[in-house]
Amino acid sequence: GQQVMQIPQYQHVQEGEDFTTYCNSSTTLSNIQWYKQRPGGHPVFLIQLVKSGEVKKQKRLTFQFGEAKKNSSLHITATQTTDVGTYFCAGSFVMRFGAGTRLTVKP
Amino acid sequence: ETGVTQSPTHLIKTRGQQVTLRCSSQSGHNTVSWYQQALGQGPQFIFQYYREEENGRGNFPPRFSGLQFPNYSSELNVNALELDDSALYLCASSRQQGLAHSSYEQYFGPGTRLTVT
């Protein structure tokens, strides 16, 4: 069945450093969504990508969808302590979530 | 904050018991999906309800069942609880157009933390 893998599992950065998490699927995705879950919280929708090669930006966050629609990435520029949390990608209809990348930021 | 609410917040049950979890979807949303999230893991899709009918199911046994009501609120029922059922149960609502397998922005509730002893 469809598998969605995320790397890295953990990432610890110094405040101000950049951060990137990658999402890879074993099959072509019709679309991909990204969510952020703060410690003790619930997933919060960030964005959805649908088109091959699509790039979307939200302030310091840049989201990309691969040309083959099998991979995606989330890049955060100049991390802040408010970026702390786990970032999940989720692919296609049944929303198969990756295991997430847990980001910690040292002030 | 989303308009999705879940009850109860926490629950402790004994192995073999049955549990019912409830979810009220955001106003205007017609679809509810349920997820199980074990500690340190991503949410695992249990099933989705669209206009009171099951519209997709993940790899969960039949003892996980659900309902959606005319007001689009939903219940998740789990029979014969096992220790491995201990997890955070999340519901997410969305406004879906038709049965076509497409994806829509989901709004998650705060979850119900179930502990099975």
Side-chain angles (χ1 to χ4, degrees):
Chain A
Q2 176 186 331
Q3 297 290 330
V4 176
M5 310 296 292
Q6 259 187 278
I7 54 170
Q9 188 175 1
Y10 301 96
Q11 185 76 57
H12 179 71
V13 300
Q14 188 79 34
E15 188 174 22
E17 292 181 338
D18 291 357
F19 159 76
T20 304
T21 174
Y22 300 91
C23 181
N24 296 291
S25 171
S26 58
T27 60
T28 301
L29 301 169
S30 58
N31 54 65
I32 196 160
Q33 295 181 352
W34 284 92
Y35 291 81
K36 176 184 178 181
Q37 186 172 22
R38 293 180 183 275
H42 57 273
V44 174
F45 176 85
L46 294 177
I47 208 159
Q48 175 167 278
L49 305 173
V50 179
K51 299 177 182 176
S52 169
E54 189 170 13
V55 177
K56 287 188 177 181
K57 292 189 176 184
Q58 290 180 350
K59 297 183 180 178
R60 294 178 296 105
L61 278 60
T62 301
F63 303 85
Q64 290 188 315
F65 201 9
E67 293 291 340
K69 301 181 74 172
K70 285 188 174 182
N71 55 73
S72 181
S73 65
L74 158 60
H75 179 80
I76 301 178
T77 303
T79 55
Q80 300 175 358
T81 55
T82 54
D83 295 326
V84 165
T86 301
Y87 293 85
F88 294 101
C89 63
S92 294
F93 166 67
V94 293
M95 287 293 103
R96 297 192 185 278
F97 279 73
T101 295
R102 183 178 173 184
L103 173 65
T104 55
V105 179
K106 184 177 180 181
Chain B
E1 289 296 324
T2 71
V4 181
T5 60
Q6 290 186 246
S7 62
T9 305
H10 297 87
L11 199 55
I12 300 175
K13 288 286 189 178
T14 303
R15 190 172 52 183
Q17 287 187 315
Q18 177 266 344
V19 70
T20 298
L21 309 182
R22 295 177 175 83
C23 172
S24 292
S25 58
Q26 181 157 315
S27 177
H29 286 186
N30 56 14
T31 303
V32 172
S33 300
W34 285 92
Y35 295 85
Q36 180 195 67
Q37 186 176 27
L39 201 61
Q41 300 296 316
Q44 299 297 309
F45 177 75
I46 303 175
F47 43 58
Q48 181 187 83
Y49 279 84
Y50 169 69
R51 292 188 174 182
E52 303 179 56
E53 297 288 333
E54 186 177 293
N55 183 39
R57 187 179 182 93
N59 189 28
F60 280 80
R63 59 189 184 85
F64 285 79
S65 63
L67 282 173
Q68 188 180 31
F69 301 99
N71 66 355
Y72 302 126
S73 66
S74 178
E75 285 183 355
L76 164 65
N77 299 290
V78 186
N79 294 321
L81 284 167
E82 301 176 0
L83 297 179
D84 285 348
D85 295 333
S86 295
L88 178 68
Y89 288 85
L90 296 160
C91 78
S93 75
S94 56
R95 186 163 65 91
Q96 188 161 316
Q97 298 171 1
L99 285 169
H101 285 187
S102 182
S103 296
Y104 300 85
E105 180 177 340
Q106 297 185 97
Y107 293 83
F108 281 82
T112 293
R113 174 72 61 186
L114 173 65
T115 302
V116 182
T117 62

